[in-house]
Amino acid sequence: MESLKTSIKIKLKEISDCIFNQIQEPLQDHIGGLYGGEWGQLLFLCYYAKFSEDRQIKKIAEEYAERLLSHKNLENLSHTFCDGYSGLLYLFEFLKENDLMNIDIDDVESVLETYVIHCMQYNISLKNYDFMHGALGAGYYFLKKGNNKSPLYELIDFLYNTAEKDIHTKCFKWKSPLSENGELGYNIALSHGMSSIVLFLSHMIKKGFKNDKIFELLENTVNYIFSQERDVNQYGSFFPSQSLENNIEHSKIKSRLGWCYGDLGVAYSLWFAGNIVCNNEWTNKGLEVLLHSTQRRDLADEFFIDVGICHGASGIAMMFKRMYLETNHPDFINATDFWMQKTLDIATFPDGLAGYKTLRKEFICDYCLLTGITGIGMILISYLMDGNQSWDELFLL
């Protein structure tokens, strides 16, 4: 354990050096948002300042925030949680709530919220519920802020009215884009699919919303996810990447380990929802799948390629660490340690960032929170700070 922590400290210093060097450079014309842009680096700086207890780093973070806020193209951002104002507004609330930084946007906050609502309504007209790129991400911010319930009820009505309902099986489901070419189908994954709906509804209930539609939506969406379960002994995973209803051949393939797609995200949504509504069947199934996933350690067999949060080793470690913090089950901390070690082992690129590159058709240097070294750095900090991983709520956990 101590040797692992020592190695993590060394790697964290390398990552922080890369990020400190990067933020000294002039900002790009497009600074992006929370997951894919420079704002993720602000989150890292705030946490690194807290971890190191270095006031100079906190000052650097504050100066960097001012640079980002004064960027000439900030007004051209989208509304999305991944790369737009929904994610930024959520980040500002999170930083303030955790005494990491208070970013004053009082003079423009109402304008930005109006814009986000307008874009959310446009997504609703397109039937685009996607958490990262559509309506749910906007709703997640308003749920966090707690000052305007109207967009949340609008989202509930949208989900209820557009759901394909099977009254016999009590299943609700929705189609969404499965690929960049616009192919539509059913998706149960966390990042873009129905597991994000389950988590969003569960967070609403946790916040005190008692609308009957919310409970009906939750139960019937979970029913659909259960209908997608298959024989783990035959396929190697409990659930497909998307849905058994889409491509028959694709549905036979073992789904990956990762935050974005596969058993981890689906099972976490079942476990979390079960705890919120006291449904032992959901909780037990989620726990069964997650514990089984701790034994999936063949890197090639798990479609394992890189290290970022989205679909890499650090994101797997994040998921297992969250479950350890919730359950104190030793299998989860053992799996966390395994994937933390793999996160360190794969820093093998001499021309990479602290040894890391991200695969996007080819391997590239990547600073992003979702796929690059900023997210890896956050995982390393959280490991060294033991139970402090509250920032994973930015990923619906």
Side-chain angles (χ1 to χ4, degrees), residues 86 116-117 119-125 127-131 134-143 148-163 174 197 200-201 204 211 213-214 217:
S86 296
V116 169
I117 291 172
C119 292
M120 184 196 79
Q121 290 169 339
Y122 179 67
N123 284 149
I124 286 174
S125 73
K127 299 182 179 179
N128 176 16
Y129 70 81
D130 191 292
F131 166 67
L136 279 187
Y140 196 50
Y141 161 67
F142 284 106
L143 186 60
N148 188 350
K149 295 182 179 180
S150 295
L152 297 169
Y153 285 119
E154 193 168 354
L155 269 175
I156 294 304
D157 288 340
F158 154 62
L159 290 171
Y160 193 86
N161 294 334
T162 58
W174 298 260
I197 294 177
F200 178 75
L201 296 170
M204 286 193 70
N211 187 304
K213 284 184 179 179
I214 298 174
L217 280 164

Side-chain angles (χ1 to χ4, degrees), residues 3 8 25 36 54 64 71 74 80 92 97 187 189 192 218 230 254 274 289 301 303 306 335 348 353-354 370:
S3 62
I8 288 173
E25 298 293 326
D54 188 329
Y64 187 57
H71 191 274
L74 182 62
T80 68
F92 299 162
E97 184 180 87
N187 188 342
H192 304 290
L218 179 61
R230 57 192 182 173
K254 180 181 184 180
V289 177
D301 195 42
F303 308 100
D306 57 23
T348 57
L353 301 173
L370 182 65

